[in-house]
Amino acid sequence: MGRLEGLRPLLYFAAPLFSEAELAYNVEVTSILECHVDVYLPQRDGGKVVDLVASGVEPDAAFRSIYDRDVQALKEADALFLLLDGRTIDEGAAFELGYAVALGKQCVGLQTDPRRLLPLGNNPMIQVPLGRILTTKAEVEHWAKDFARCARFLASAEI
């Protein structure tokens, strides 16, 4: 695990964050996860480009700020939690998945939506790196509890 002993594991939550419905659902799922783990939720913890620009930040600087914060959070995270709902994955979330895989992070998905890009399921470049794809919020709760327990065990074994 990438964090100091005694701390809860940190998940990076990769998801679309553009509509009010997406923002609200991300917060709802985050509240379930945060019963057991810490969560970096980009819309809350990294900021949004539109908010930065509205506050007077130049667009190029706003994009760079978001990118830098989110990449740093991916490096610090113990795992990536990816929301797969929608006909296709959000392009930012796809980048975050690839970056997390390149860093050797554990990756898990949540897909409550039955739509898939391919007749046989998700794109292989999305499906293969995900160690598990959860399908309900109840499974999210159970997984987060188990992940936190395993992280504590691994941290104590490293001493």
Side-chain angles (χ1 to χ4, degrees), residues 1 9-12 74 77-82 96-97 100-109 129-132 143 146-148 150-151 154:
M1 295 289 151
L10 175 65
L11 296 182
Y12 185 103
L74 280 163
D78 296 298
L80 176 105
F81 186 88
L82 175 67
E96 292 158 339
L97 173 62
V101 168
L103 292 171
K105 306 290 181 175
Q106 178 180 343
C107 299
V108 65
L130 294 171
R132 186 162 173 204
W143 176 84
D146 286 349
F147 181 74
C150 289
L154 290 173

Side-chain angles (χ1 to χ4, degrees), residues 9 15-16 24 33 49-50 52 54 60 71 76 84 92 96 104 107 112 123 130 139 143-144 156 158:
L33 292 166
V49 170
V50 293
L52 290 173
D60 287 345
V71 165
E76 294 173 5
L84 293 160
E96 292 158 339
C107 299
T112 67
N123 182 307
L130 294 171
E139 286 181 345
W143 176 84
S156 66
E158 291 176 357

Side-chain angles (χ1 to χ4, degrees), residues 2-73:
R3 299 186 13 139
L4 298 173
E5 173 196 342
L7 293 179
R8 293 173 4 140
L10 175 65
L11 296 182
Y12 185 103
F13 192 112
L17 48 77
F18 299 100
S19 72
E20 288 182 22
E22 290 167 342
L23 294 168
Y25 189 69
N26 296 347
V27 169
E28 181 182 349
V29 174
T30 295
S31 69
I32 294 168
L33 292 166
E34 286 183 328
C35 291
H36 306 285
V37 299
D38 292 334
V39 176
Y40 179 87
L41 180 62
Q43 70 194 49
R44 175 190 69 195
D45 304 319
K48 294 184 288 186
V49 170
V50 293
D51 293 340
L52 290 173
V53 171
S55 71
V57 176
E58 292 294 323
D60 287 345
F63 280 108
R64 174 54 68 179
S65 175
I66 297 297
Y67 177 85
D68 289 345
R69 282 189 252 177
D70 289 355
V71 165
Q72 185 59 39

